């Protein structure tokens, strides 16, 4: 049963990674607007909603009682890409999809993810997602039977 919990955590971690890089990258790209100016009002609200959704998912993974692997997978990816960026900037940015033959949506997601990388947001999220992995209580199931609990003094409430 424990392996199923961690297998589910691996799947959730992959989804969170895609959400942070894809959804967050797309939202950042939309928030920059055309020619660096402010985006149209409707685009602004949709992009802010996408960022809020990404933040909600990241927060639920960090605070929820799921397998710590769900937080470890995205933290590993985000921190690894940040380390590659720190050591070899050109190589890290070469991972960004920028081929003109790609769909413009994919190029927008890549450009936004590159913005998150170069501004240090991915490093911040990677460290924040790594903190729950360090808590030993997250690795145990936490099944505590209330029937086995005995109070010290029966007369006190």
């Amino acid at each position: 049963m424990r392996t199923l919990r961690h297998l589910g955590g691996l799947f959730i971690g992959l989804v969170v990674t895609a959400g942070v890089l894809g959804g967050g990258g797309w939202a950042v790209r939309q928030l920059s607007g055309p020619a660096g100016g402010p985006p149209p009002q409707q685009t602004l609200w949709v992009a802010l909603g996408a960022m809020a959704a990404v933040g909600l998912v990241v927060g639920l993974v960090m605070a929820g009682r799921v397998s710590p692997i769900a937080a470890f997978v995205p933290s590993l990816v985000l921190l690894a890409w940040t380390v590659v960026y720190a050591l070899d900037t050109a190589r890290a940015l070469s991972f960004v999809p920028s081929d003109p033959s790609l769909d413009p949506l994919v190029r927008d997601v890549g450009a936004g993810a590159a913005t998150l990388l170069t501004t240090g947001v991915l490093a911040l999220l990677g460290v924040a997602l790594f903190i729950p992995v360090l808590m030993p209580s997250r690795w145990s199931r936490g099944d505590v039977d209330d029937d086995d609990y005995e109070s010290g003094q029966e007369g006190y409430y």
Side-chain angles (χ1 to χ4, degrees), residues 26 29-30 96-111:
W26 177 83
R29 184 68 174 160
Q30 296 303 311
V96 176
S98 59
D99 190 3
S101 66
L102 292 172
D103 188 75
L105 177 65
V106 174
R107 288 195 312 262
D108 284 349
V109 167

Side-chain angles (χ1 to χ4, degrees), residues 45-151:
W45 286 108
V46 171
L48 287 175
M51 274 297 207
V54 169
L56 177 68
V57 169
V58 167
L60 288 174
V61 166
M62 288 173 53
R65 188 86 177 138
V66 296
S67 170
I69 294 175
F72 182 64
V73 169
S75 73
L76 184 68
V77 170
L78 300 177
L79 290 175
W81 198 13
T82 303
V83 168
V84 171
Y85 177 72
L87 296 176
D88 189 358
T89 305
R91 179 172 296 219
L93 293 177
S94 72
F95 297 142
V96 176
S98 59
D99 190 3
S101 66
L102 292 172
D103 188 75
L105 177 65
V106 174
R107 288 195 312 262
D108 284 349
V109 167
T115 301
L116 291 173
L117 174 69
T118 58
T119 56
V121 173
L122 293 185
L124 179 126
L125 282 174
V127 170
L129 282 165
F130 190 72
I131 299 299
V133 176
L134 300 175
M135 296 181 194
S137 63
R138 294 287 300 263
W139 291 95
S140 66
R141 280 196 57 114
D143 293 337
V144 178
D145 293 30
D146 290 334
D147 297 337
D148 295 338
Y149 180 76
E150 295 180 23
S151 62

